[in-house]
């Protein structure tokens, strides 16, 4: 459901995501987030700089979901360069059903709170 909110977003993470959206660096970078199930909060797991998509994939846990905001260099056909943000919801095969439900139920709140509304949402199945 669009209105379901399982977990809130940690205040320090909201600020970190806001700064990340407006970063001036030109390298690929990612913020990986996880859920602290005891606090029912989406929190920072790790920040990565200069990371390729393949390296990012290798950083993700094999059996635990994660949320990722990824900024990368994109070369347009006309020569322009931009740095779009991607919101990625990684939910690998083999995750515990209760974890999958917590993440699925928290995704919309995270996207809304972090003002990531103009991004495409990708769902990975590793």
């Amino acid at each position: 459901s669009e209105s379901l909110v399982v977990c809130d977003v940690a205040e320090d993470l909201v600020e970190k995501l806001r700064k990340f959206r407006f970063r001036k660096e030109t390298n690929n970078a990612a913020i990986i987030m996880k859920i602290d199930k005891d606090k029912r909060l989406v929190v920072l797991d790790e920040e990565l700089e200069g990371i390729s998509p393949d390296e990012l994939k290798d950083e993700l846990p094999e059996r635990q979901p994660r949320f990722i905001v990824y900024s990368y260099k994109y070369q347009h056909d006309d020569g322009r360069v931009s740095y779009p943000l991607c919101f990625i919801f990684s939910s690998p095969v083999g995750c515990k059903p209760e974890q999958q439900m917590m993440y699925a139920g928290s995704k919309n709140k995270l996207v809304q709170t972090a003002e990531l509304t103009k991004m495409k949402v990708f769902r990975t199945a590793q």
Side-chain angles (χ1 to χ4, degrees):
S1 167
E2 290 292 315
S3 61
L4 176 67
V5 177
V6 175
C7 297
D8 220 330
V9 183
E11 283 300 317
D12 60 334
L13 179 58
V14 173
E15 181 62 20
K16 187 170 287 296
L17 288 166
R18 187 189 69 73
K19 288 180 180 175
F20 190 75
R21 278 180 39 219
F22 299 109
R23 66 195 287 272
K24 300 292 185 216
E25 293 84 1
T26 58
N27 61 335
N28 293 356
I31 291 181
I32 301 176
M33 297 157 279
K34 64 182 180 181
I35 289 180
D36 180 326
K37 67 179 184 176
D38 296 329
K39 294 181 182 176
R40 291 197 170 270
L41 276 179
V42 179
V43 298
L44 178 68
D45 186 18
E46 68 183 307
E47 276 184 279
L48 303 166
E49 294 282 337
I51 186 162
S52 73
D54 286 335
E55 292 167 332
L56 177 59
K57 182 180 179 250
D58 292 342
E59 287 291 322
L60 299 176
E62 288 184 23
R63 300 222 189 295
Q64 295 178 358
R66 288 294 185 267
F67 298 121
I68 304 103
V69 176
Y70 185 58
S71 174
Y72 65 97
K73 183 178 181 176
Y74 179 74
Q75 183 89 33
H76 296 266
D77 291 338
D78 62 6
R80 291 178 300 121
V81 175
S82 63
Y83 299 89
L85 292 179
C86 291
F87 177 77
I88 304 164
F89 172 24
S90 173
S91 186
V93 174
C95 293
K96 295 178 183 176
E98 60 270 18
Q99 276 186 319
Q100 290 175 322
M101 291 298 292
M102 285 186 88
Y103 277 79
S106 303
K107 176 182 64 80
N108 291 337
K109 175 71 173 180
L110 174 59
V111 168
Q112 179 183 32
T113 301
E115 299 177 27
L116 303 174
T117 53
K118 292 184 180 178
M119 295 196 304
K120 295 189 184 264
V121 177
F122 299 93
R123 183 157 190 246
T124 64
Q126 294 179 332

